[in-house]
Each structure stands twice: as C-alpha cells, then as structure tokens.
Amino acid sequence: MLDVTLAVPATVRAFSASALPWLDMGGIALFAASGAVAAARARLTFVTFCFFAAITGTGGGTVRDLLIGAPVFWMHDSVALGICLVMALIVWFTPQRLWQGKALDWFDAAGLAAYAVYGAAKAQAWGIPVVPAAGMGVVTACVGGIIRDVLAGVPSILIRPELYVTPAALAAGLYVALTAIGVSPVAAAGIATVAGFALRGIAIARGWRLPPYRGGEPE
Amino acid sequence: MLDVTLAVPATVRAFSASALPWLDMGGIALFAASGAVAAARARLTFVTFCFFAAITGTGGGTVRDLLIGAPVFWMHDSVALGICLVMALIVWFTPQRLWQGKALDWFDAAGLAAYAVYGAAKAQAWGIPVVPAAGMGVVTACVGGIIRDVLAGVPSILIRPELYVTPAALAAGLYVALTAIGVSPVAAAGIATVAGFALRGIAIARGWRLPPYRGGEPE
Amino acid sequence: MLDVTLAVPATVRAFSASALPWLDMGGIALFAASGAVAAARARLTFVTFCFFAAITGTGGGTVRDLLIGAPVFWMHDSVALGICLVMALIVWFTPQRLWQGKALDWFDAAGLAAYAVYGAAKAQAWGIPVVPAAGMGVVTACVGGIIRDVLAGVPSILIRPELYVTPAALAAGLYVALTAIGVSPVAAAGIATVAGFALRGIAIARGWRLPPYRGGEPE
C-alpha cells in the first residue's frame, strides 16, 4: 500500500524491458518505409533510398535521445539501422502501387501513435518531468517526418492541413496523464496508442481537421 | 588586488544567478511569440501554434546547450515550455492586427540582443573559449528563427536582405570582448545588449544593410 | 604476434594522432569554402558569408560528435572556427570566376572522401560498431552540404541527380571493412579516400549516376 509510488517505476521498468522495444522497432520500420516512399516519389537512387529511410526512421528518436541526454539509441547496436536498410530494400523491390494508396497512411498512423507513447515513456524513464516528457513523445513521433519533408523539398507535414501533431500530442499526453494518476504503464500505453491511432485514422478517413487560426477576432 | 582574475568568474556567476535568467525568459517569450505569429500567417491550428512557439522559443538555446555539452535547459523544469504555450495562447486569442506591424520586429530585436548575450555568457560559464563562445551567442539568437522559417517554408532570415546575424554577432562579440578586457559582466551585458538592439533597430527603422557580395572584383 | 588484436587499436590511435587531424582540417576548409560560395551565389553580406562558411564547414562533424557522444570538436579550441572565417575571407576577396567552374567541385570531392573516412575513424575511436560507424562517415561528409542547401533555399544535394551520398558511403564503408579484415588504418584510409574521390570524380567528369527508382517493376 505504502509502496504505491515506488511500485510504479518498477512496473514502468518491467514494461519498458518487454513491450516498449516492440513499439520502438515498429515505429522505426514504419517511418523508414515512409522515408523510402518519399525517395521513390522523388525518383532517387538506391543509396539515397537507404539514406532517406535511415534518417526518417531514426530521426525522431535521435533528437529525443539528444534532448534527454541519453546515448543515441542506434549508435550502440546495429539493429535499428539494419531495420531501416531492410525497409529500403523492400520498398525498392516491391511494385510502387503497393505504396501509393492510403495503406501507407494507415501504417504511418500506427507508427505515429506507437512512437509518441514510446518517446514519452523513454523520457520518463530518464527522469524527465511530465510536461517535457509529453513534448518528447511529440518530438519522437513528428521529427522524423519533418526532416524527411525538408530534405525532399516538399511542404512540411506541419504546415499541411492535416491532423498530425494533434494525434501525437493526444497519445503522448494521455500516456503521461494516465500514468500520473496511477494507471499501470501497460494499460496507459495501450489506451494512449489506440486513442492516438483512432484520431489520426479519423483524420485520414474523414478528413477531420482542427479549425485554423482566423485572426483572433470573434466571427 | 591579486585576486582580480579570480574575482571575475565569481562576479560572472553572481550575475548569472540574478540577471541572466531574466534575459533568458525574455528571449524565450519573444521568440515563442514570433513562432506563433508565423503559424498565424500560415493559418495553422492551435496545436501547431504551440509546436511552432515551442520550437522557435527553445530552438536556439537547445542547439547551444547540445553544442556546449550542457543539459538541455527546458528538459528539467517545465517553466520554459510553459512560457511558450502561454505565448501561443496569447497570440491565438488576441486580434491579429496587434501582431502585424513593426511592433513584433521591435520585440524580436530586443530578444535577439538579449539572447545573443545570454548565449555567450552561458557558453563561457561552461568553459568554452572566447571565439566559440561568441559563436554560441549568435547560434542562440539566430537558430530559433532559422528553424521557424525552414518549417514554415519561407525563405530563411539568413538569406533575406536584413541586418540580422550582424546585430547578434555584435552583441555576442562585444560581451565576450568587454569581459575579456576586464569590464564587469553586468556592465558588459548592458552595453552589448543595447548595442545589438540599437543596430537591429536602425536596420528596422532605416533599412540599413551591409553591402552584399559583388563578385570579389573592385568596382 | 599474440597482440595482433590489441595492436590494431594502438595503430589506429597513432594514426589518429598524426594523419587524421589533417584530413579533418582539409575537410573543414573545403566545406567552409563551399558554404561561402553558396553565400556568394545568394549575394549575401560578409557576416552571413562567415555564418554559412562556419555552418557548412563544421555541420557534418558537429552532428557526428553529438551522435557518438563526443564533445563537439570546435567548441574547445578555436582553430576550426578560425579556418572557416579565413575561408570566408578568401572567397569574399578573390574574384568570383575562380569559384564558378568545376574547380570547386573537385575540392569538394576531395573533402567529401577525406571527411567520410575521418568520420568513420573517429566514430570507431569512440567505440561505435562498424555499421553505425560507416553511417557516421556518411553523415560527416554529407550533413554540412545538406544544411547549406536547406539554409540557402536550394534543392538539397540529396535530391539532385548526382552521385554524392554514394561516394561518401563507398569511402566510409571501405575504410570500416578494410580495417575490420586487418588492413592497417593508414593503408585503409588511403585506399578508401582515393576510391571515394575517384567515384565522385567520375560522377563530376562523366556525369555518372546510379539508376533511379523505376517503380519496383521489371521493365
């Protein structure tokens, strides 16, 4: 009973050690694929495919690790970079029509939600307080795509009229809020991932948007 | 008398502990506002407003902290990120005409000068020698605005024909030079901030520019 | 005889202490010059020249050092930043026609190959395994030019149809592979630098390219 506040970190650590790596690998693979698809649209070469896949797949997590003061995750084992190269190979050798429709958007939605939760959880594991930890979830989920768009010379996902940062903020914020009120990390991660994925999914399927800025005046 | 060289660092530390945090908060707030205004011009949503305000407000200081090897300043307390969110709220809910004229340019000029001095002082407090410390002042003052422009897809402040990097370099260079010749940090910070603000102000009011490159040939 | 595996790091360290700093300074100078030339093309002012030269000259190495967890190399002595400022001065005061033809491309090719090898070697000296170490060579060689292009608002070198990432990957990959099979670091660095320079040179002289993506379908 008395150990409730101490018990939570232990659960968090146990959860981190089991489920979180899978969220992480999934996020890397999905973002690497979206980087390779951007390279395909620009008709780039195979080496540049790999470069785009690696930067998009690892970019968000790299910025998160630099900000929280953790060793950059893909520096000390070769698995993450290997996943990116495999995704580049898969996109290169499969027919482009597989990657053109909304299929990729749905994978990307799953990666966005999973990566937002993983980023917030990793930041908390490194002792970052709740507000910046939620911010780290958003950074982990969004920065890879931002770098991909800037390098490809297309308008950044940030300024396209899609709900993209918002689902990431929902997933990261929910995870942080739920664990703060005592929900177990496993349940919080599940709820937050599903909520972020659902919001992004509605945006894809129905074109939902938040209202844009209208000049700060009542209408 | 003999302790003159040792006394300076103590003064620097005392000054850091009192006045510098205010320069820092001011710089964050002013740059966060300029990020939110860029989001307003692009007609973005409220969540993206917050993202732009946070990245512009914290971007320069984040890059500085990563470069000098300090913990990233907004990771371990929530004040900096809170200031950015409050500025996003203020810009969202106040009439746009308040933010359209030259008022923002003048706030930005104050933030530029204050942040250049603060960045150089923080770098010196972390043991960085004078030339890179002055460079850190320029980075702290300019990088937030550069990231804002790249994300918003507008030509970067660097390649617009305005005097912008130069006032930052003047403020940071003056602070470093004056403290190196024995001027007290408080006086050096005051002189450098005013000089940088004045130069940027003249650029705003009179359109002053440095001569552009003309091909390296005598005319 | 028995000390072969231990002898290699010692050789690496000896080589690092002698030849590698020259590769490093050469890479910084060549990339700084290319940054200043980009500033010249955009008709910027002298202060912005210096800023572009510094960011392009140090950018790749800065990102490498952040990723591998090393202190950022130009923070603790003023030589690297000094080289960038000297290159900015040289480009500013010499006739532009010197910098317009293919001369710069050839210098850039030398810098690309040298920096790719240096980046991979430095990463290995910091204990990074072979796959990410080769990646660090590519990052060191390419990121400065990418930042330069994004800031100047021109299409990034990544999406131009030139062989650029590939020679960097060849040089970095060869160095890592050759040292892994026991070739001495000096010989490996020489072979890898020449191979990367030659491939980039053929791309410049003959317009060689890799085949672009064609949709993943057999033709």
Side-chain angles (χ1 to χ4, degrees):
Chain A
M1 275 299 187
L2 275 162
D3 283 345
V4 153
T5 50
L6 289 172
V8 174
T11 327
V12 174
R13 269 181 223 119
F15 178 63
S16 297
S18 60
L20 284 179
W22 295 100
L23 283 183
D24 190 25
M25 297 297 155
I28 292 170
L30 291 163
F31 283 117
S34 83
V37 169
R41 284 187 187 143
R43 303 268 142 191
L44 300 180
T45 68
F46 181 66
V47 174
T48 323
F49 253 67
C50 294
F51 197 81
F52 260 81
I55 280 190
T56 311
T58 63
T62 300
V63 172
R64 175 202 62 221
D65 287 348
L66 291 175
L67 292 176
I68 67 178
V72 175
F73 69 101
W74 53 279
M75 273 298 127
H76 297 283
D77 74 277
S78 300
V79 174
L81 219 48
I83 291 175
C84 294
L85 301 184
V86 168
M87 294 310 295
L89 272 169
I90 291 175
V91 173
W92 181 269
F93 282 113
T94 50
Q96 193 176 11
R97 60 193 144 71
L98 288 184
W99 304 96
Q100 271 172 333
K102 291 219 164 169
L104 188 72
D105 283 342
W106 287 99
F107 284 119
D108 183 75
L112 184 78
Y115 233 33
V117 171
Y118 177 74
K122 180 161 182 183
Q124 288 198 304
W126 280 76
I128 306 295
V130 291
V131 174
M136 286 305 93
V138 177
V139 161
T140 309
C142 297
V143 165
I146 292 172
I147 297 175
R148 174 196 66 213
D149 292 343
V150 167
L151 292 185
V154 303
S156 137
I157 185 81
L158 282 183
I159 56 172
R160 293 204 291 261
E162 298 174 46
L163 227 50
Y164 195 86
V165 181
T166 308
L170 175 68
L174 255 185
Y175 177 78
V176 163
L178 290 173
T179 52
I181 61 170
V183 176
S184 83
V186 182
I191 294 168
T193 306
V194 168
F197 177 73
L199 181 57
R200 176 73 186 134
I202 293 172
I204 295 170
R206 309 252 164 177
W208 267 24
R209 303 176 182 186
L210 284 184
Y213 179 69
R214 289 179 208 282
E217 317 265 10
E219 272 157 82
Chain B
M1 276 300 188
L2 274 163
D3 283 345
V4 154
T5 50
L6 289 173
V8 174
T11 328
V12 174
R13 269 182 224 123
F15 178 64
S16 298
S18 60
L20 283 180
W22 295 99
L23 283 184
D24 190 24
M25 297 296 154
I28 292 170
L30 292 163
F31 283 117
S34 83
V37 169
R41 286 188 185 141
R43 303 267 141 192
L44 301 180
T45 69
F46 182 66
V47 174
T48 324
F49 254 67
C50 294
F51 197 82
F52 260 81
I55 281 192
T56 311
T58 63
T62 301
V63 172
R64 174 203 61 220
D65 287 348
L66 291 174
L67 293 176
I68 67 178
V72 175
F73 69 102
W74 54 279
M75 273 297 126
H76 297 282
D77 74 278
S78 301
V79 174
L81 218 50
I83 292 176
C84 294
L85 301 184
V86 168
M87 295 309 294
L89 272 169
I90 291 176
V91 173
W92 181 269
F93 283 112
T94 51
Q96 193 176 12
R97 60 194 144 70
L98 287 184
W99 304 96
Q100 271 172 333
K102 291 220 164 167
L104 187 72
D105 283 343
W106 287 100
F107 285 118
D108 183 75
L112 184 79
Y115 233 32
V117 171
Y118 177 74
K122 181 163 182 184
Q124 287 198 305
W126 279 77
I128 306 296
V130 290
V131 175
M136 285 305 93
V138 178
V139 161
T140 308
C142 297
V143 164
I146 292 172
I147 297 175
R148 176 197 65 214
D149 293 342
V150 167
L151 293 185
V154 303
S156 138
I157 185 81
L158 282 182
I159 56 173
R160 291 205 291 263
E162 298 174 45
L163 227 51
Y164 195 87
V165 181
T166 308
L170 175 69
L174 253 184
Y175 177 78
V176 162
L178 289 174
T179 52
I181 62 171
V183 177
S184 83
V186 183
I191 295 168
T193 306
V194 169
F197 178 73
L199 182 57
R200 177 72 186 132
I202 293 172
I204 295 171
R206 310 252 163 177
W208 268 23
R209 304 175 180 187
L210 285 184
Y213 179 69
R214 290 180 206 283
E217 316 265 10
E219 272 158 82
Chain C
M1 276 300 190
L2 274 162
D3 283 344
V4 154
T5 50
L6 289 172
V8 174
T11 327
V12 174
R13 270 182 223 122
F15 178 63
S16 297
S18 58
L20 282 180
W22 295 100
L23 283 184
D24 190 24
M25 296 296 154
I28 292 170
L30 292 163
F31 283 117
S34 83
V37 169
R41 284 187 187 143
R43 303 269 142 190
L44 301 180
T45 69
F46 181 66
V47 174
T48 323
F49 254 68
C50 294
F51 197 82
F52 261 81
I55 281 191
T56 311
T58 63
T62 301
V63 172
R64 174 202 62 220
D65 287 347
L66 291 174
L67 293 175
I68 66 178
V72 175
F73 69 101
W74 52 280
M75 274 296 126
H76 297 283
D77 74 277
S78 301
V79 174
L81 219 49
I83 291 175
C84 294
L85 301 184
V86 168
M87 294 310 294
L89 272 170
I90 291 175
V91 173
W92 181 270
F93 283 113
T94 51
Q96 192 176 11
R97 60 193 145 71
L98 287 184
W99 304 95
Q100 271 173 332
K102 292 220 165 169
L104 187 72
D105 283 342
W106 287 99
F107 283 118
D108 183 75
L112 184 79
Y115 234 31
V117 171
Y118 178 74
K122 181 162 182 183
Q124 287 198 305
W126 279 77
I128 306 295
V130 291
V131 174
M136 285 304 93
V138 178
V139 161
T140 308
C142 297
V143 165
I146 291 171
I147 297 176
R148 176 196 64 213
D149 292 342
V150 168
L151 292 185
V154 303
S156 136
I157 185 83
L158 282 181
I159 57 172
R160 292 204 292 262
E162 298 174 45
L163 228 51
Y164 195 86
V165 181
T166 308
L170 176 68
L174 254 184
Y175 177 78
V176 162
L178 289 174
T179 52
I181 60 171
V183 177
S184 84
V186 183
I191 294 167
T193 306
V194 168
F197 177 74
L199 181 57
R200 177 72 186 134
I202 293 171
I204 296 171
R206 309 251 164 177
W208 267 24
R209 304 177 182 186
L210 285 184
Y213 179 70
R214 289 178 208 283
E217 316 265 9
E219 273 157 83

